[in-house]
């Protein structure tokens, strides 16, 4: 048999029944649904409640529809969410919250936080994640304008009245999404530069230092994952390296350009951190962890730390170890580490993995400085998105012809037409 006849004799590779291409409006609807469940509380109370109720209803309907689709991976995401949140809910059942804050905290964990994570199941394809990134950028732009318009003499802009830290997180993750869209050639340099400047100004206006550090760390992770994926064709990634390096040099050389709180943090970070209550929180939380291997229960940290002016230790990793116990807290930390390692490996062949890894890095740093477990919806959503991306990479590896690369611009020219179609999960 000649070599020319071999492909004909071998026949086409077995494939599953192709699904319908997701329409533009359907893609936007899915993306906006997930985005609203993440950022609804950054808007005025009445508008935020309307966003929450609308997004919750849409998510429930779309998830139900996705579960019925035979080729969908929504069932895997939903099962994963049920297992993870089932484990996280155990401390609340075994150690009943003693305070009103603890009861509300546990209730929000198994409702809003769980729903926001499960909403990732509505994501079908690469186009949906790109639309989700665009939705994050659009929302971040609106919040940045609100932050700049609401700046006060205390240098802590609150936007529509939300917490400056949560506002800074929503803007910071929008910066990461904008840079990723530029790397993927979905935004031109002019548009991306204008958006990044607007978002950066809004981020500085909040005066929140933790989200600023998280943004810088996430951008470096994003750039490194892009260089790792296509080292010979990473012109835009090298541009990103140059811009990040120039930004660091300018900030270190001229820190007076920053707002006062940012200036003090850059000039003497050790003094700024020592001047906060976080050091004492950490020390007392470590004592609680050592004395209570099974945890003290959600919301009970205050009664054991005797820091009555604070409800949580402003570090989700210490919070889970202290309130949920060594097993639950340790399992969740291990889950995050395993997901990060797997995404780093997948980033070599799939740009989506690099974006989700950057999101995970951003949220991991952000939740290490402030907020309780319910202020970590972004972290849970990043983990769920990571699961979808790993399923995508695994499916592409199982169905790719011999000699073909993995998804998105890594196959030979003969396969590029198929790669333009969204990969179904």
């Amino acid at each position: 048999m000649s070599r020319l006849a071999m492909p004909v004799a071998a026949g086409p590779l077995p494939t599953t029944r192709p699904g319908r291409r997701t329409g533009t409006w359907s893609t936007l609807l899915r993306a906006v649904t997930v985005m609203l469940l993440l950022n609804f509380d950054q808007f005025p109370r009445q508008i935020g409640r309307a966003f929450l109720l609308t997004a919750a209803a849409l998510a429930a309907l779309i998830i139900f529809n996705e579960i019925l689709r035979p080729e969908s991976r929504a069932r895997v995401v939903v099962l994963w969410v049920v297992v993870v949140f089932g484990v996280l809910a155990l401390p609340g059942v075994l150690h009943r919250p003693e305070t009103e804050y603890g009861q509300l905290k546990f209730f929000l964990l198994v409702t809003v936080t769980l729903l926001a994570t499960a909403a990732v199941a509505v994501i079908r394809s690469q186009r949906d994640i790109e639309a989700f990134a665009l939705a994050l950028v659009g929302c971040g732009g609106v919040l940045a304008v609100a932050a700049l318009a609401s700046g006060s003499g205390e240098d802590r802009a609150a936007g529509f009245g939300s917490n400056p830290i949560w506002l800074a997180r929503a803007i910071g993750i929008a910066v990461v999404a904008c840079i990723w869209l530029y790397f993927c050639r979905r935004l031109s340099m002019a548009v991306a530069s204008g958006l990044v400047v607007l978002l950066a100004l809004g981020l500085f206006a909040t005066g929140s230092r933790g989200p600023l550090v998280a943004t810088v760390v996430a951008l470096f992770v994003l750039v490194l994952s892009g260089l790792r994926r296509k080292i010979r064709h990473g012109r835009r990634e090298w541009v990103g390296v140059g811009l990040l390096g120039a930004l660091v040099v300018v900030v270190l050389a001229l820190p007076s350009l920053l707002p006062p709180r940012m200036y003090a943090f850059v000039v003497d970070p050790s003094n700024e951190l020592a001047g906060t209550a976080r050091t004492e929180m950490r020390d007392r939380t470590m004592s609680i962890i050592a004395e209570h291997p099974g945890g003290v229960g959600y919301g009970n940290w205050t009664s054991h730390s005797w820091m009555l002016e604070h409800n949580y230790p402003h570090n989700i990793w210490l919070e889970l170890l202290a309130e949920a116990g060594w097993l639950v807290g340790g399992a969740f930390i291990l889950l995050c580490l395993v997901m990060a390692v797997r995404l780093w490996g997948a980033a070599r062949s799939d740009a989506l993995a690099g974006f989700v890894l950057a999101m995970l890095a951003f949220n991991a740093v952000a939740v290490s400085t402030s907020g309780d477990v319910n202020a970590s919806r972004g972290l849970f959503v990043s983990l769920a998105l990571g699961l979808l991306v790993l399923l995508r990479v695994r499916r592409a590896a199982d169905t790719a012809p011999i000699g073909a690369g993995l998804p998105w611009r890594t196959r030979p020219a003969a396969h590029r037409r198929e790669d333009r179609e969204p990969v179904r999960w």
Side-chain angles (χ1 to χ4, degrees):
M1 182 181 296
S2 65
R3 293 184 63 182
L4 294 177
M6 286 179 65
V8 178
L13 288 172
T15 58
T16 58
R17 185 183 59 167
R20 293 179 299 175
R21 181 183 177 88
T22 306
T24 301
W25 288 108
S26 175
T27 297
L28 291 176
L29 183 64
R30 296 165 188 273
V32 171
T33 296
V34 180
M35 183 275 294
L36 288 180
L37 287 173
L38 275 180
N39 295 332
F40 70 90
D41 49 358
Q42 303 307 314
F43 296 90
R45 183 177 298 271
Q46 296 300 326
I47 297 177
R49 287 180 178 178
F51 283 162
L52 173 60
L53 294 176
T54 302
L58 289 174
L61 292 174
I62 300 175
I63 290 173
F64 181 74
N65 177 70
E66 288 296 315
I67 290 177
L68 298 180
R69 294 174 62 244
E71 68 275 14
S72 173
R73 293 297 183 268
R75 289 184 293 273
V76 178
V77 175
V78 172
L79 177 61
W80 178 86
V81 170
V82 170
V83 172
V84 171
F85 279 84
V87 173
L88 290 175
L90 283 177
V93 176
L94 299 178
H95 300 275
R96 184 176 179 180
E98 301 170 354
T99 63
E100 183 179 352
Y101 161 74
Q103 296 169 6
L104 179 62
K105 177 179 180 176
F106 180 70
F107 174 76
L108 292 177
L109 176 66
V110 297
T111 53
V112 177
T113 306
L114 184 151
L115 179 60
T117 310
V120 175
V122 308
I123 300 294
R124 281 189 182 182
S125 64
Q126 168 187 314
R127 294 178 69 232
D128 292 346
I129 293 187
E130 292 176 356
F132 173 59
L134 283 172
L136 289 177
V137 173
C139 179
V142 172
L143 295 176
V145 172
L148 292 172
S150 66
S152 64
E154 299 178 355
D155 300 307
R156 298 301 303 273
F160 293 111
S162 64
N163 187 303
I165 298 177
W166 316 150
L167 176 63
R169 288 188 188 180
I171 298 175
I173 197 64
V175 174
V176 178
C178 184
I179 298 296
W180 178 71
L181 289 171
Y182 165 72
F183 286 165
C184 297
R185 296 176 173 82
R186 298 299 184 264
L187 293 177
S188 65
M189 177 176 287
V191 173
S193 299
L195 289 172
V196 168
V197 170
L198 173 64
L199 294 170
L201 291 176
L203 181 59
F204 287 142
T206 65
S208 300
R209 296 162 294 190
L212 175 63
V213 175
T215 302
V216 174
V217 171
L219 289 179
F220 274 106
V221 170
L222 182 65
V223 169
L224 290 175
S225 66
L227 291 175
R228 185 171 183 266
R229 185 173 63 90
K230 48 179 185 178
I231 190 68
R232 296 181 180 178
H233 308 286
R235 182 178 63 85
R236 294 198 172 201
E237 284 78 0
W238 284 114
V239 171
V241 171
L243 292 177
L244 287 175
L247 178 62
V248 171
V249 171
V250 169
V251 170
L252 293 179
L254 302 171
S256 59
L257 296 175
L258 300 174
R261 296 185 84 250
M262 301 291 188
Y263 175 84
F265 179 69
V266 172
V267 172
D268 192 356
S270 60
N271 182 61
E272 279 295 296
L273 293 177
T276 66
R278 283 172 172 75
T279 302
E280 186 178 359
M281 288 181 182
R282 181 195 61 204
D283 294 339
R284 297 197 183 189
T285 305
M286 294 299 293
S287 299
I288 295 174
I289 294 172
E291 295 172 4
H292 302 274
V296 297
Y298 288 122
N300 300 335
W301 176 84
T302 301
S303 60
H304 288 78
S305 66
W306 296 101
M307 299 185 70
L308 303 181
E309 66 276 19
H310 300 287
N311 290 324
Y312 45 86
H314 289 69
N315 184 312
I316 188 178
W317 318 111
L318 296 180
E319 175 189 354
L320 286 177
L321 289 173
E323 296 189 345
W326 294 4
L327 290 179
V328 175
F332 183 76
I333 294 174
L334 180 61
L335 170 65
C336 294
L337 291 175
V338 170
M339 184 65 69
V341 172
R342 295 292 301 275
L343 286 173
W344 175 253
R348 185 180 182 86
S349 59
D350 197 326
L352 295 181
F355 173 54
V356 177
L357 178 61
M359 286 186 61
L360 182 60
F362 174 91
N363 288 289
V365 174
V367 300
S368 301
T369 58
S370 186
D372 63 10
V373 67
N374 287 305
S376 309
R377 293 194 300 270
L379 178 64
F380 290 106
V381 168
S382 300
L383 292 172
L385 280 173
L387 175 63
L388 276 181
V389 170
L390 293 178
L391 290 173
R392 160 194 168 90
V393 172
R394 178 181 176 182
R395 178 172 181 177
D398 292 341
T399 59
I402 297 176
L406 290 178
W408 209 15
R409 299 179 183 169
T410 58
R411 295 188 183 182
H415 299 284
R416 287 177 184 167
R417 182 175 182 181
E418 289 80 2
D419 286 341
R420 295 193 188 102
E421 296 298 323
V423 176
R424 299 284 179 180
W425 292 317

